[in-house]
Amino acid sequence: KVVFTTLMVGIWGHSVRTSLQVGLGLAQIGEFAFVLANQGLSMGLMTKQVYLVLLGVTAVTLFLTPWVFQLTPALIRSFPVDDHSSADDIEMQHASTDEEEEAEQEGDDTSHLE
């Protein structure tokens, strides 16, 4: 999924950095996979073994996603700088997202100030 998404974003004319950021950002298998896997199993569309593998892969990707997001800026720095984005921009996006989350947890919604 990471490779396919990265390639598709690159084909659409975006830089390697941007393409990789999008690819890594969409790497996880969502929680909805649990629902689909359960339906597939109950309808006889997959074996119990396939179901268990799918559950395991989903759980691992959900668990690893925060660390992948945290490592993305460092990984992107290894690629050439482009006009569309930079590792510093990505870090600033992460920082502003973290600040917004902290403000929401404290009950101080500052999103109207932007």
Side-chain angles (χ1 to χ4, degrees):
K1 184 174 175 183
V2 173
V3 173
F4 177 77
T5 304
T6 301
L7 288 173
M8 290 306 298
V9 173
I11 288 171
W12 290 330
H14 294 281
S15 70
V16 173
R17 283 182 164 197
T18 301
S19 300
L20 188 58
Q21 182 182 10
V22 171
L24 290 171
L26 297 173
Q28 90 174 15
I29 298 173
E31 295 86 354
F32 191 61
F34 291 126
V35 174
L36 292 176
N38 189 33
Q39 286 291 37
L41 181 65
S42 67
M43 294 174 69
L45 300 173
M46 67 175 73
T47 65
K48 182 79 169 181
Q49 183 178 8
V50 171
Y51 172 76
L52 293 174
V53 169
L54 184 59
L55 288 183
V57 169
T58 302
V60 168
T61 63
L62 289 171
F63 179 76
L64 292 177
T65 296
W67 288 285
V68 170
F69 284 157
Q70 197 170 24
L71 294 173
T72 298
L75 179 62
I76 289 174
R77 275 192 208 99
S78 65
F79 292 93
V81 177
D82 67 339
D83 295 333
H84 302 292
S85 67
S86 70
D88 293 333
D89 292 337
I90 294 165
E91 286 176 3
M92 299 224 5
Q93 290 170 0
H94 285 290
S96 66
T97 301
D98 292 341
E99 290 169 3
E100 290 171 4
E101 288 175 3
E102 288 173 11
E104 286 178 9
Q105 289 174 355
E106 294 172 2
D108 179 22
D109 185 10
T110 58
S111 62
H112 64 283
L113 298 176
E114 295 180 19

